[in-house]
Amino acid sequence: MGNSCLAEKKSLCVVKSVGDSVADGRYFLHSSFTSAANFISEDGAFVCLVSAVKEGGPFNIVLSSGVPAMTGSIKISLPIIEVDGAVADTSRAKIYDSAVSSLRGGFAGLAALEKEYLRLASPLSLALALDKRRIEGFRPGFQRTLAEQILQACALLSGGDYAGGARLLNGAGFGFTPSGDDFLAGVLLATHFLPAGEPARSAIFGAAASSNPVSLAAMRAARDGRACEPVKKLLTALSLGEDASSLLPAVLGMGATSGADFLAGFIFAFKSFKGEGRC
Amino acid sequence: MLTKGIIRKGEYFDSVALMNAAKELGSVKGVVDSAVVMGTKENRSILQNSGLLLPEFANSGDADMLIAVKAENEAAVKAALEKLDAILSKKKTSGKTAEARPRSLDAAVESLAGANIALISVAGRYAGALAMSALRRNLHVMLFSDNVSLQQEIKLKQFGRDKGLLVMGPDCGTAIINGIPLAFANVVGRGSIGMVAAAGTGLQEVSCIVSNEGGGVSQAIGTGGRDVKKDVGGIMFLEGLKALVADKDTKTILLVSKPPYPAVMEKIAAQAAKTDKPVVAVFLGGDKAVGENAGLACAGTLKEAALLALAVDSFGGKKSKRTVLAAASKDLKARLAADDKKLKAQAKKLSAQVGKGRKFVRGLFSGGTFCTEAQLVMGEVLGKVHSNVPLDPGLKLADSLKSVENTVIDLGDDEFTVGRPHPMIDYALRCKRIVAEGANKDVAVILLDVVLGYGSHLDPLSELLPAIAAARKGGGKGIVFVASVTGTDADPQSRAKVLKGLQDAGVAAYGFNADAAAVAGYIAGFAGGAK
């Protein structure tokens, strides 16, 4: 029983916030971890039930407690959320507004942030895309081959072959959501702040056909200009010209390297796609 | 050279576990190359290009996990796969993240690049040097260990302050940094109330109250109890306060401590007065005037402090600091008065269960801050309250094993923890004492605290309920048991479950230590135990 609010139907899950991209429907458990459980619907929609230690996200339903140890389903007909048949308390739930595309771009502090990012990012993250010398941190063999492929993909993206670059990155690398997918999500989000980002965005998303629903949801959100709370806070600070370095650890703390890979993609796109005629 | 591998169909692990597993594989003697990745098309292509693709991987999909090992010989392959299997199987069974266990600070730093905090829990004689190494590597430090010398603590804190790093501890039991609970901490919601505390269980209590009442915690910084004393001079309490002032997520600041040294108190008050953020403080047993003169809202108990911080925070910075603090204090007064009336009525009812001739309280605490708070709360009703850690030195017990009239014991004090785990983990000593106190014919109330959360005993009821039953059976009939439960429903033990378990066993259980202490005090007062 423990802290499972599902084990006793009388005790409700209390919902703190619901992401603005959470859609009505019936969802079934896809994968669960200590503080998050992923669900997909029959038509491929995605939601993530997360514990109070996590923050809002476009598809996140944030609970005020831990994530129940569940094997069941979620039925959503907002504002009603049923978790394994028990109606959750959504009376105090806020809607998390994940849109970042309205933020003022420019991001003058991005160069300073990149410096700090490179200091903190894990050696095996795709920070490699921003500093090729980091390839030395990848062991000869599988890791080095992966690193070389990432650099090749980056060269394609920089050269305007967005679909080609995306295909090499999609599904490549470490982790439950492969590093390349996280990187692509960062690239996709960045295109919203670039002068002619739309063609790049369409080409990249079109080429990235992940069958991992978690990766796909992250890329879809980025394509639509949406981001989870740690990323939104960071971008908001940057857009206001504030020092965002204190917000960096929260993003880097997402997964083993997911946050770092996402940011690598974001910064990379900013640096590489800005050139005239590229996008 | 030999390449072998396995495919684990439909298995998934979080990214941290996968990367740590891959790292473990690479460290096996004789292993030349390895990979632990999801079976996406692109990963299979990379495996092929690096000579690790095996025929059995051909039909894998995105949801399958591929493990490939290239090694010098069969034995190395076998050892690597067995090691990996053990790691992943263990993780699957426990449902928790499998983590590599570095054996040195160097290895830990190497395995987690980008880390900016070191949690140190080793024997005290090694802890100081290790903390200094961590600071030199630009890591903030949480020093869980005790028995670090005062001189070393001062040196560490001065060094940390000069580098802009936090040194939480020594003897720092609790912290929550960026939503991550460290050591003895609870699963609380995130929000905009930031806390600095030189009182471990005090910090747990206020963070849980804030969360249970619908608020959230931005940061909870522990300093260790000695920080606010004369010698250390509040170095880290002041640095923690500075960090919260700078923290964008923190809108309201809550300070928790036993009474700081007067000069330290003045420094804290002066620094708190400089910020535009409202500051609520509880210095248990301290002089409220110093804080209030500096514009702080000062509370008398942990409950009052947490509720006051919540009330202040609910204004969301829409009014001036002074207006908010005044309005929140006024609103809270009414609730506290109503609560007190209710508690008194409950105590009156419970006092009917007290046996003839029984009139004193025996408080057996695992949390030092709770022991202090109980002395304050019960002192108002009962007068003298003896203790091994008394607020009034004149009330110190000659022998901590022998209670005198109204007595409260901090079982987490050094004298009880030499060679044994903390009483929040190991209930043996407290259970023994419950039975022993139950045999005293003048005991009317036994007061307990139950602290939940990470690090604490996972099933406190399994220890306490048999001890309470044994005390009742062994002559303790006519004793009222009162307890407080500190925790949240999201804690591994579940606060609701523990409260219910205690209530079902006839224990008057409360969600606030101050409430439990008040009820215990009132019962003893009704029984004639006031001195």
Side-chain angles (χ1 to χ4, degrees), chain A residues 177-188:
Chain A
T177 54
S179 318
D181 289 351
D182 295 325
F183 185 90
L184 284 175
V187 172
L188 286 165

Side-chain angles (χ1 to χ4, degrees), chain A residues 21-160:
Chain A
S21 299
V22 170
D24 287 354
R26 192 170 177 82
Y27 295 82
F28 300 92
L29 186 70
H30 170 268
S31 46
S32 68
F33 303 99
T34 307
S35 43
N38 301 312
F39 294 80
I40 49 172
S41 70
E42 280 175 359
D43 56 0
F46 172 81
V47 293
C48 184
L49 207 56
V50 302
S51 74
V53 298
K54 298 275 184 185
E55 295 185 78
F59 301 103
N60 283 5
I61 297 170
V62 185
L63 302 177
S64 63
S65 59
V67 174
M70 57 164 52
T71 54
S73 63
I74 300 181
K75 191 176 167 190
I76 301 172
S77 177
L78 290 172
I80 298 166
I81 297 177
E82 283 181 38
V83 182
D84 266 5
V87 179
D89 177 2
T90 55
S91 59
R92 282 173 290 175
K94 292 173 185 165
I95 298 293
Y96 167 65
D97 172 11
S98 66
V100 295
S101 50
S102 60
L103 291 176
R104 191 170 56 82
F107 299 150
L110 198 62
L113 187 80
E114 181 187 354
K115 205 173 158 192
E116 182 67 359
Y117 164 79
L118 287 171
R119 192 176 75 79
L120 297 175
S122 161
L124 293 181
S125 71
L126 301 196
L128 167 77
L130 305 174
D131 180 359
K132 289 178 187 171
R133 291 170 299 178
R134 293 172 72 105
I135 199 166
E136 294 304 322
F138 287 72
R139 277 202 319 261
F142 176 80
Q143 289 186 2
R144 189 64 64 86
T145 310
L146 168 68
E148 284 164 357
Q149 178 158 327
I150 299 299
L151 291 178
Q152 193 191 343
C154 288
L156 290 176
L157 289 174
S158 299

Side-chain angles (χ1 to χ4, degrees), chain B residues 275-300:
Chain B
T275 174
D276 290 336
K277 296 182 181 180
V279 181
V280 174
V282 55
F283 298 114
L284 286 170
D287 182 3
K288 283 185 180 179
V290 181
E292 283 171 348
N293 290 341
L296 279 63
C298 290

Side-chain angles (χ1 to χ4, degrees), chain A residues 2-3 16 30-34 52-53 55 65-66 120 122-124 139-142 145-146 149 167-168 170-173 175-176 178 211-212 233 242-243 255-257, chain B residues 12-16 18-19 26 33-35 37-38 40 42-43 45-47 49-50 52 62 95-97 113-114 116 179 188-190 248-249 489-492 494 497:
Chain A
N3 61 348
K16 279 177 72 177
H30 170 268
S31 46
S32 68
F33 303 99
T34 307
V53 298
E55 295 185 78
S65 59
L120 297 175
S122 161
L124 293 181
R139 277 202 319 261
F142 176 80
T145 310
L146 168 68
Q149 178 158 327
R167 275 193 288 271
L168 282 184
N170 187 201
F176 173 66
S211 61
N212 177 336
K233 281 181 186 168
E242 295 172 356
D243 176 14
T257 64
Chain B
Y12 60 85
F13 293 86
D14 64 70
S15 306
V16 179
L18 283 179
M19 289 197 75
D33 194 12
S34 62
V37 289
M38 302 309 286
T40 61
E42 215 45 54
N43 276 339
S45 160
I46 299 167
L47 285 169
N49 293 339
S50 52
L52 289 174
D62 290 13
K96 288 178 183 168
T97 305
N116 65 351
V188 300
R190 289 206 76 181
K248 287 186 186 116
D249 290 340
D489 290 349
D491 280 333
S494 176
K497 187 178 159 191

Side-chain angles (χ1 to χ4, degrees), chain A residues 164-218:
Chain A
R167 275 193 288 271
L168 282 184
L169 283 161
N170 187 201
F174 308 112
F176 173 66
T177 54
S179 318
D181 289 351
D182 295 325
F183 185 90
L184 284 175
V187 172
L188 286 165
L189 192 68
T191 59
H192 288 273
F193 304 101
L194 297 173
E198 205 289 319
R201 187 159 62 244
S202 300
I204 289 168
F205 190 76
S210 180
S211 61
N212 177 336
V214 186
S215 283
L216 198 58

Side-chain angles (χ1 to χ4, degrees), chain B residues 491-503:
Chain B
D491 280 333
Q493 304 89 343
S494 176
R495 173 179 180 257
K497 187 178 159 191
V498 174
L499 276 169
K500 186 171 184 304
L502 288 167
Q503 284 158 355

Side-chain angles (χ1 to χ4, degrees), chain B residues 190-209:
Chain B
R190 289 206 76 181
S192 50
I193 301 179
M195 304 164 177
V196 184
T201 41
L203 185 53
Q204 283 190 264
E205 174 87 336
V206 292
S207 60
C208 289
I209 294 172

